[in-house]
Amino acid sequence: MNLRKALMLSVNVIAARLISQVGPHEVVKYAHNMGITSELQPYPSIALGTFDLSVLELTSAYATIANMGKWNEPIFVTHIEDKNGNLLHRFVPDSREAIPHETAYLMTDVLRGVVTGGTAANLHYECGCTRAAPAAHPETSRAGRRFRRSARWG
């Protein structure tokens, strides 16, 4: 079984082998580059998603992938105006290249495979999306055998 198929089907032993080849320290480095701020221990079990992360951290990391490797600081307030609509202050998030563009592209492609033929293939049905217009709904998902309607976001 190739890596793409294994990740699509959430074959955890393959993810564990990949971590052992790449090294858990490298995975932690990538995670922090992509917006994960929690302390992560470089244990092989990181391949299984064993660390608790906030929704903000996860969305920051996934947004980095969707943004072709560019991380943008999550912000909640973009600007402040007075009662007349005059701009008082604009907040500009920090931004940086977090992972190579090519890596983000490949990750997006693999995550899309999770939706089109992997463990989250029922996402189209659950969301009321049709496969007839995949370009209009370029969903991606993480792999997970316990995927259920209550576990998805959006």
Side-chain angles (χ1 to χ4, degrees), residues 17-146:
R17 284 186 195 155
L18 181 61
I19 291 291
S20 69
Q21 288 180 346
V22 172
H25 290 286
E26 191 69 15
V27 173
V28 169
K29 184 176 89 175
Y30 262 72
H32 286 151
N33 283 347
M34 295 171 62
I36 303 296
T37 57
S38 292
E39 182 179 341
L40 301 174
Q41 297 300 319
Y43 301 143
S45 64
I46 198 169
L48 306 176
T50 54
F51 293 96
D52 288 330
L53 302 173
S54 71
V55 172
L56 182 62
E57 289 176 293
L58 287 172
T59 53
S60 177
Y62 278 112
T64 300
I65 297 168
N67 203 21
M68 290 288 108
K70 186 176 180 182
W71 173 83
N72 291 304
E73 175 189 22
I75 61 170
F76 298 99
V77 177
T78 59
H79 64 279
I80 299 173
E81 298 176 353
D82 67 15
K83 66 180 181 178
N84 298 318
N86 297 312
L87 182 66
L88 299 175
H89 187 75
R90 180 172 306 278
F91 298 94
V92 179
D94 286 339
S95 181
R96 69 175 185 280
E97 293 299 318
I99 60 175
H101 174 84
E102 298 81 8
T103 301
Y105 177 83
L106 291 172
M107 291 171 76
T108 300
D109 191 54
V110 169
L111 291 171
R112 190 172 291 127
V114 173
V115 173
T116 59
T119 57
N122 67 342
L123 181 64
H124 287 273
Y125 173 76
E126 296 283 337
C127 294
C129 302
T130 65
R131 291 188 181 186
H137 301 285
E139 301 93 353
T140 60
S141 177
R142 65 162 184 81
R145 295 207 182 277
R146 292 180 285 156

